[in-house]
């Protein structure tokens, strides 16, 4: 489309006219025509209000259950303690009266009396009276002071009693630490006590300790119960790379005459879900059914989770249908898993609609339902929708829990929306929901941005000062956060410390390492990580392969992409929504058009839904290749999928027209963007300015820049370099000097490219001497310009003169 310069365009800087009509008019820049506004707040590390966030977090945090922070004022009557002797009751009264901090001193003074007391009964009495924490202090004192005194007072019954107490109070971390210090080899406990200790190891991630203890129990010839085996199935399931071990345990259970219960079945299926073993889960489930097993809701829910994690929502719907046909009523967990399945397949609105479906069937959506949706919206970059849903759940009377708050904090942290993070922390405190270890882990992840590794150090230090010792998830978060900060050294240190303190790496750990490498495009190191992962028996999951695709894309290794593509299309790697989406984005980044389109076809073939990131990535490639028809096809698909073009969509369309020489069409798109209620950004204006400069319409470029600054958007180095390129192409060297002077006056430092563009312009006009003079005078206007850069520019001019 052709168009003449409007005679009534906005007032621009007055050009300096010459008597020679062949000379183009000069266009000067000044602050009157280009009103510059202050820089808008950015999410740079210097603006991150860590002090304020930590203040709220520290004053809201309740340390995890420890001896110094728990006390129950339970009422009890001696009549309920008939199993205790008079001496025992007297000692019990004495212990209850004393504060926690003074108990060790009391025990030292009453050592001779404690020797004569039934310690197991005393521990039981303390637990019955609601003072389990004092029972633990007594046990630890006895272990340190009376063990081996007069025939070993720390007998089996004493240990069994403290195990029972800690198990009843769900003090898994305390129990695991306690029995790391007290070796159990010399004791013969009952199976129930051993099972409780195994459970503590399982809950705290100390899987190797659990396996070692379990092997010793088998060697002792104890009659292991169904519960003991179920706990060990859970250990192997959480540990990963253990499918053969799980099958071995199941055979042991059968040979010992134990009948699988719902917990057995759901635990095994859940283990398959963690490893992405869809075929194994299906085979196990239908194998049990063929042997007469009638699955209940819990088992069906576990199977739903397997397919839901993979985003195979069609299979999830089949499972729901089978439940209904077998008169197995779905519950809130069932629908929560279905919501998750829809979300992982990209069907956000369909997932949200299930909330209403639940209500229509008399099943109220619970906190997990809403949290699942909030989490998904956050990952999809739909923060406002997530916050709307958060407010809606509260209005409907569904009280947010710590997981909900953590999901919101994590989402806001990724977008550096710190003021809202502070509001959420304040709300948590007001609602009596203190931050937990996951909240701190979430804060660590929020600091995982380039240049913010010192913030990660500080949050980690404060986390420990509040009594939250790092668990395996914390270490995984730290590895990932340091990787995102660009600090591979710190990430490696965290990995080493994790091993040192006894946590076993898992798939998440390897993925955290891959995440750090993907950001640098270090695909060679990434391949080594995957190789080591497989060597140690771990099966890479969709996140692992997705990160490797990003690794190859950032490193420009198209062949690497093709290797994973073959495995996906060949059926060796399940083609989940996440993987196919990543394939589209990775091929787009490498500008591999055929690979991108093939992945998009596969996405559609599997019934998955594309999101705006996919559409924008594809449209961007079509725009860069000036494939106007394909770009408009994508635009049509956006509308057909019930989505609305966003600023990225419009910017790509503007870029396409600007590249194709249709600068006026690019400006029309800019107008459409404003009419659609969206706010153009710096990229939008720079793209239109570039289009005008390419067509040598400098008046229009300056007009667009003036409009941009009037709307509060400051020009950047790209804006100015684009203008200088336009002037250089027309030999307008006086105007180039005006732009450079203007840049320096308005705190936008020219870079070496700025001056190189000008020098190239002089050389193309065969004005080599003027080019030399231009370089020699740079230091007069730009004191920051260094001698090495000047020498490179001089060499460039000399090379041009010789060529």
């Amino acid at each position: 489309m052709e168009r003449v310069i409007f005679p009534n365009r906005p007032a621009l800087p007055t050009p300096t006219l010459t008597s020679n009509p062949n000379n183009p008019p000069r266009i000067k820049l000044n602050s009157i025509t280009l009103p510059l506004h202050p820089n808008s707040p950015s999410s740079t590390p210097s603006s991150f209000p860590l002090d304020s966030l930590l203040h709220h977090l520290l004053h809201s945090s309740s340390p995890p259950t420890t001896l110094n922070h728990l006390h129950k004022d339970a009422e009890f009557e001696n009549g309920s303690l008939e199993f205790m002797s008079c001496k025992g009751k007297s000692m019990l009264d004495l212990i209850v009266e004393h504060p926690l901090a003074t108990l060790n001193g009391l025990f030292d003074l009453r050592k001779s009396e404690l020797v004569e007391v039934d310690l197991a009964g005393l521990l039981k009495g303390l637990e019955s009276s609601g003072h389990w924490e004092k029972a633990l202090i007594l046990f630890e004192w006895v272990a340190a002071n009376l063990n081996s005194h007069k025939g070993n007072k720390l007998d089996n019954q004493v240990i069994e009693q403290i195990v029972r107490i800690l198990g009843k109070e769900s003090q898994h971390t305390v129990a695991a630490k306690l029995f790391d210090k007290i070796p159990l080899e010399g004791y013969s406990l009952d199976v129930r006590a051993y099972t409780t200790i195994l459970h503590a190891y399982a809950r705290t991630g100390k899987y190797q300790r659990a396996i070692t203890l379990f092997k010793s129990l088998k060697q002792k010839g104890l009659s292991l119960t169904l519960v003991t085996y179920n706990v060990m199935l859970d250990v192997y399931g959480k540990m990963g790379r253990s499918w053969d071990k799980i099958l071995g345990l199941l055979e042991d259970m059968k040979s010992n005459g134990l009948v699988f219960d719902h917990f057995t079945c759901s635990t095994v299926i859940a283990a398959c879900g963690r490893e992405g073993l869809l075929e194994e889960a299906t085979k196990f489930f239908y194998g049990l059914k063929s042997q007469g097993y009638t699955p209940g809701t819990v088992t069906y829910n576990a199977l739903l989770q397997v397919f839901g994690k993979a985003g195979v929502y069609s299979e999830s719907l089949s499972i729901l249908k089978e439940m209904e046909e077998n008169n197995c009523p779905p519950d809130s967990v069932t629908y929560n898993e279905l919501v998750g399945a829809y979300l992982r397949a990209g069907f956000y609105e369909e997932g949200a609609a299930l909330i209403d479906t639940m209500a229509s069937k008399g099943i109220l959506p619970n906190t997990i339902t809403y949290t699942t949706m909030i989490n998904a919206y956050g990952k999809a970059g739909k923060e406002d929708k997530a916050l709307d849903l958060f407010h809606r759940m509260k209005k409907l009377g569904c009280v947010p829990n710590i997981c909900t708050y953590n999901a919101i904090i994590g989402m806001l942290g990724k977008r550096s929306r710190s003021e809202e993070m502070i509001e959420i922390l304040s709300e948590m405190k007001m609602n009596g929901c203190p931050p937990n270890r996951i909240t701190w882990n979430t804060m660590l992840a929020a600091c995982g941005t380039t240049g913010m590794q010192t913030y990660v150090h500080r949050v980690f230090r404060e986390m420990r000062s509040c009594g939250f010792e790092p668990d395996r998830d914390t270490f995984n978060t730290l590895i990932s956060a340091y990787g995102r900060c660009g600090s591979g050294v710190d990430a490696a240190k965290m990995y080493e410390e994790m091993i040192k303190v006894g946590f076993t790496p898992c798939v998440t750990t390897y993925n955290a390492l891959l995440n750090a490498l993907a950001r640098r495009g270090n695909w060679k190191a990434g391949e080594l990580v995957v190789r080591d992962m497989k060597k140690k028996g771990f099966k890479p999951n969709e996140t692992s392969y997705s990160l490797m695709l990003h690794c190859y894309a950032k490193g420009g290794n198209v062949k690497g992409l093709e290797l994973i593509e073959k495995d996906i299309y060949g059926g060796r790697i399940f083609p989940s929504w996440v993987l196919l989406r990543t394939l589209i984005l990775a091929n787009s980044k490498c500008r591999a058009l055929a690979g991108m389109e093939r992945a998009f076809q596969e996405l559609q073939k599997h019934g998955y839904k594309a999101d705006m990131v996919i559409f924008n990535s594809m449209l961007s490639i079509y725009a860069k290749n000036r494939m106007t028809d394909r770009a408009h096809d994508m635009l049509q698909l956006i509308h057909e999928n019930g989505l609305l073009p966003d600023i990225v969509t419009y910017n790509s369309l503007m870029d396409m027209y600007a590249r194709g020489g249709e600068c006026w069409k690019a400006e029309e798109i800019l107008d459409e963007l404003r009419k659609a209620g969206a706010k153009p950004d710096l990229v939008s204006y720079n793209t239109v300015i570039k289009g005008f400069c390419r067509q040598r319409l400098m008046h229009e470029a300056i007009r667009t820049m003036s409009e941009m600054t009037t709307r509060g958007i400051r020009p950047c180095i790209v804006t100015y370099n684009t203008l200088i390129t336009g002037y250089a192409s027309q030999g307008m060297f006086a105007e180039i000097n005006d732009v450079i002077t203007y840049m320096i006056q308005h705190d936008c430092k020219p870079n070496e490219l700025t001056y190189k563009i000008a020098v190239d312009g002089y050389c193309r006009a065969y004005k080599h001497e003027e080019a030399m003079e231009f370089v020699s005078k740079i230091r007069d206007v730009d004191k920051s310009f260094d001698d090495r850069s000047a020498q490179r520019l001089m060499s460039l001019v000399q090379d041009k003169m010789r060529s």
Side-chain angles (χ1 to χ4, degrees):
M1 177 190 293
E2 294 188 4
R3 182 174 168 184
V4 296
I5 299 174
F6 291 136
N8 60 343
R9 62 184 171 82
L12 296 171
T14 306
T16 304
L17 300 177
T18 64
S19 57
N20 186 348
N22 294 322
N23 288 336
R26 289 197 61 203
I27 304 170
K28 286 191 175 183
L29 303 177
N30 58 65
S31 297
I32 297 174
T33 57
L34 292 176
L36 290 177
H37 295 257
N39 282 319
S40 57
S42 66
S43 58
T44 56
S46 61
S47 68
F48 192 73
L50 183 65
D51 288 334
S52 185
L53 283 165
L54 278 178
H55 172 79
H56 282 78
L57 195 55
L58 289 167
H59 284 78
S60 302
S61 284
S62 266
T65 303
T66 63
L67 300 184
N68 296 325
H69 293 268
L70 280 179
H71 182 73
K72 292 182 183 177
D73 294 321
E75 295 291 333
F76 68 97
E77 298 177 1
N78 284 343
S80 63
L81 303 174
E82 294 177 356
F83 58 87
M84 296 184 69
S85 65
C86 291
K87 283 185 179 180
K89 290 178 182 177
S90 176
M91 181 60 68
L92 175 64
D93 291 338
L94 199 58
I95 293 172
V96 169
E97 289 171 4
H98 272 69
L100 292 173
T102 64
L103 283 179
N104 280 310
L106 172 68
F107 298 152
D108 290 338
L109 288 173
R110 304 281 182 158
K111 184 173 182 178
S112 59
E113 296 174 47
L114 285 169
V115 170
E116 305 299 330
V117 171
D118 173 17
L119 286 175
L122 184 53
L123 290 171
K124 183 178 179 181
L126 285 167
E127 187 236 344
S128 299
S129 62
H131 294 276
W132 73 265
E133 69 279 16
K134 293 186 176 183
L136 179 59
I137 292 176
L138 173 61
F139 178 83
E140 290 181 322
W141 183 88
V142 169
N145 295 277
L146 295 186
N147 196 13
S148 79
H149 182 80
K150 285 191 177 181
N152 188 4
K153 294 294 290 186
L154 191 60
D155 60 16
N156 294 332
Q157 286 186 339
V158 172
I159 294 177
E160 287 172 0
Q161 188 60 48
I162 196 64
V163 168
R164 177 182 174 277
I165 292 170
L166 295 176
K168 184 179 178 182
E169 296 292 332
S170 298
Q171 295 299 316
H172 310 297
T173 302
V174 174
K177 286 183 178 180
L178 183 64
F179 292 106
D180 279 347
K181 297 175 184 175
I182 300 174
L184 295 171
E185 289 79 8
Y187 298 95
S188 297
L189 310 181
D190 61 22
V191 173
R192 182 181 174 187
Y194 281 124
T195 302
T196 302
I197 297 170
L198 285 172
H199 184 55
Y201 285 142
R203 291 293 299 269
T204 53
K206 298 192 174 185
Y207 306 128
Q208 288 299 337
R209 292 299 307 268
I211 291 168
T212 301
L213 177 59
F214 181 70
K215 287 179 178 177
S216 73
L217 301 186
K218 293 184 74 176
Q219 288 172 357
K220 288 180 178 181
L222 287 175
S223 271
L224 303 180
T225 66
L226 178 64
V227 177
T228 313
Y229 275 106
N230 283 345
V231 169
M232 285 309 299
L233 286 171
D234 188 46
V235 166
Y236 282 120
K238 289 177 177 174
M239 185 177 171
R241 53 175 177 157
S242 306
W243 182 240
D244 290 341
K245 302 283 195 311
I246 288 172
L247 292 177
L249 280 180
L250 294 172
E251 287 301 319
D252 277 356
M253 293 170 74
K254 288 178 184 176
S255 63
N256 289 329
L258 296 173
V259 179
F260 300 168
D261 62 5
H262 291 314
F263 187 87
T264 311
C265 301
S266 60
T267 302
V268 172
I269 293 170
C272 294
R274 292 189 190 97
E275 299 281 308
L277 305 175
L278 275 69
E279 291 182 12
E280 288 83 348
T282 305
K283 184 178 178 181
F284 174 75
F285 178 76
Y286 289 106
L288 286 178
K289 283 189 69 178
S290 68
Q291 296 168 23
Y293 171 72
T294 303
T297 304
V298 173
T299 308
Y300 274 117
N301 287 345
L303 192 62
L304 271 172
Q305 189 181 50
V306 173
F307 290 99
K309 276 188 174 181
V312 191
Y313 73 96
S314 55
E315 188 65 32
S316 299
L317 292 174
S318 298
I319 294 168
L320 177 65
K321 185 180 178 183
E322 182 178 321
M323 288 178 72
E324 292 171 340
E325 289 173 350
N326 292 338
N327 295 319
C328 184
D331 59 10
S332 59
V333 177
T334 311
Y335 280 100
N336 289 344
E337 293 299 342
L338 282 171
V339 169
Y342 270 116
L343 299 178
R344 292 181 193 102
F347 291 93
Y348 297 103
E349 300 312 316
E350 290 81 354
L354 271 177
I355 293 177
D356 295 326
T357 304
M358 290 174 69
S360 69
K361 291 181 177 290
I363 302 171
L364 287 178
N366 58 20
T367 307
I368 296 173
T369 318
Y370 287 109
T371 304
T372 302
M373 278 299 309
I374 288 167
N375 210 18
Y377 277 139
K379 288 179 179 178
K382 301 173 184 285
E383 295 83 15
D384 292 333
K385 280 199 169 186
L387 291 172
D388 286 344
L389 189 62
F390 177 59
H391 296 311
R392 179 186 166 193
M393 73 176 281
K394 290 190 290 184
K395 192 178 288 185
L396 292 171
C398 186
V399 180
N401 63 14
I402 188 65
C403 297
T404 317
Y405 285 119
N406 287 340
I408 295 285
I409 290 170
M411 174 189 75
L412 296 173
K414 286 179 184 177
R415 301 295 176 182
S416 297
R417 293 168 65 164
S418 49
E419 290 183 7
E420 289 162 291
M421 289 174 73
I422 290 170
E423 288 176 12
I424 294 297
L425 287 169
S426 299
E427 184 180 318
M428 288 171 69
K429 182 179 180 181
M430 187 172 62
N431 292 340
C433 191
N436 63 1
R437 190 190 310 277
I438 297 172
T439 315
W440 282 96
N441 288 350
T442 304
M443 278 295 296
L444 286 170
C447 292
T449 308
T450 303
M452 289 180 66
Q453 54 263 42
T454 55
Y455 286 23
V456 178
H457 294 324
R458 189 172 161 197
V459 173
F460 186 40
R461 186 172 64 250
E462 296 290 3
M463 174 184 175
R464 279 183 145 166
S465 73
C466 280
F468 290 95
E469 285 301 314
D471 60 1
R472 188 167 67 167
D473 288 339
T474 308
F475 281 112
N476 289 339
T477 303
L478 283 165
I479 293 166
S480 182
Y482 281 126
R484 290 198 304 276
C485 288
S487 180
V489 174
D490 284 317
K493 282 181 181 176
M494 282 299 111
Y495 178 77
E496 290 169 5
E497 186 176 339
M498 175 183 179
I499 304 296
K500 187 177 177 181
V501 298
F503 288 109
T504 308
C506 60
V507 174
T508 307
T509 314
Y510 284 105
N511 287 346
L513 292 170
L514 284 174
N515 194 8
L517 296 170
R519 290 174 179 273
R520 302 201 302 269
N522 191 348
W523 54 269
K524 289 184 179 178
E527 288 180 339
L528 291 175
V529 169
V530 173
R531 200 173 302 149
D532 184 58
M533 199 174 171
K534 291 179 177 177
K535 182 180 176 183
K536 290 179 179 174
F538 290 103
K539 182 178 179 180
N541 60 15
E542 67 172 19
T543 305
S544 315
Y545 290 118
S546 181
L547 288 168
M548 273 310 302
L549 287 169
H550 283 303
C551 229
Y552 287 130
K554 187 73 182 285
N557 186 348
V558 179
K559 288 186 177 179
L561 294 181
E562 291 171 351
L563 286 174
I564 298 180
E565 278 178 354
K566 286 180 182 177
D567 284 339
I568 292 173
Y569 299 148
R572 290 177 289 279
I573 298 174
F574 181 77
S576 69
W577 179 79
V578 169
L579 270 181
L580 292 175
R581 179 180 186 268
T582 307
L583 261 183
I584 293 168
L585 303 183
N587 277 293
S588 172
K589 192 175 186 66
C590 293
R591 300 200 179 186
L593 191 62
M596 179 188 77
E597 291 183 328
R598 168 77 190 277
F600 185 67
Q601 289 167 2
E602 290 290 325
L603 188 89
Q604 291 179 308
K605 186 176 85 176
H606 284 83
Y608 298 138
K609 191 172 183 179
D611 60 9
M612 280 304 297
V613 177
I614 291 174
F615 285 125
N616 282 335
S617 296
M618 296 186 70
L619 197 148
S620 175
I621 292 301
Y622 292 140
K624 287 182 173 71
N625 286 281
R626 300 183 191 177
M627 301 170 71
T628 309
D629 291 341
R630 296 276 186 92
H632 281 287
D633 287 342
M634 281 295 112
L635 191 61
Q636 183 65 27
L637 276 174
I638 288 172
H639 290 292
E640 288 176 2
N641 280 269
L643 302 170
L644 291 173
D646 57 19
I647 191 166
V648 179
T649 317
Y650 285 110
N651 286 348
S652 293
L653 290 170
M654 282 184 261
D655 183 56
M656 179 174 69
Y657 289 118
R659 286 171 183 270
E662 297 184 68
C663 52
W664 298 110
K665 184 65 176 173
E667 189 178 39
E668 283 182 20
I669 300 294
L670 181 64
D671 290 337
E672 284 182 27
L673 172 58
R674 284 195 293 261
K675 288 174 185 175
K679 186 179 178 182
D681 61 6
L682 180 61
V683 176
S684 312
Y685 284 105
N686 280 347
T687 303
V688 174
I689 290 169
K690 178 181 70 175
F692 283 129
C693 287
R694 284 185 171 185
Q695 297 305 305
R696 300 189 169 196
L697 297 172
M698 300 308 296
H699 286 79
E700 303 305 324
I702 292 294
R703 173 179 61 79
T704 305
M705 182 173 163
S706 178
E707 179 188 313
M708 175 176 82
T709 55
T710 302
R711 292 178 180 273
I713 301 174
R714 290 179 66 90
C716 67
I717 188 72
V718 175
T719 319
Y720 291 116
N721 285 351
T722 302
L723 287 174
I724 291 170
T725 302
Y727 286 130
S729 68
Q730 300 179 62
M732 300 173 71
F733 302 112
E735 284 74 11
I736 289 174
N737 287 325
D738 287 343
V739 174
I740 291 172
T741 302
Y742 187 87
M743 290 173 70
I744 295 169
Q745 289 173 350
H746 293 87
D747 299 322
C748 185
K749 181 182 174 183
N751 57 17
E752 190 171 332
L753 177 61
T754 309
Y755 298 114
K756 183 179 180 297
I757 293 167
V759 168
D760 282 338
Y762 278 112
C763 292
R764 281 197 302 272
Y766 299 102
K767 295 185 176 184
H768 299 103
E769 291 183 6
E770 289 91 332
M772 285 292 194
E773 185 181 358
F774 172 82
V775 175
S776 67
K777 291 182 178 180
I778 291 175
R779 289 295 297 273
D780 295 340
V781 292
D782 186 356
K783 303 298 181 186
S784 66
F785 195 68
D786 62 87
D787 293 334
R788 291 179 64 184
S789 297
Q791 187 58 49
R792 281 194 291 269
L793 290 176
M794 285 290 189
S795 299
L796 176 65
V797 177
Q798 290 165 358
D799 291 342
K800 297 282 187 182
M801 290 173 69
R802 288 193 290 268
S803 62

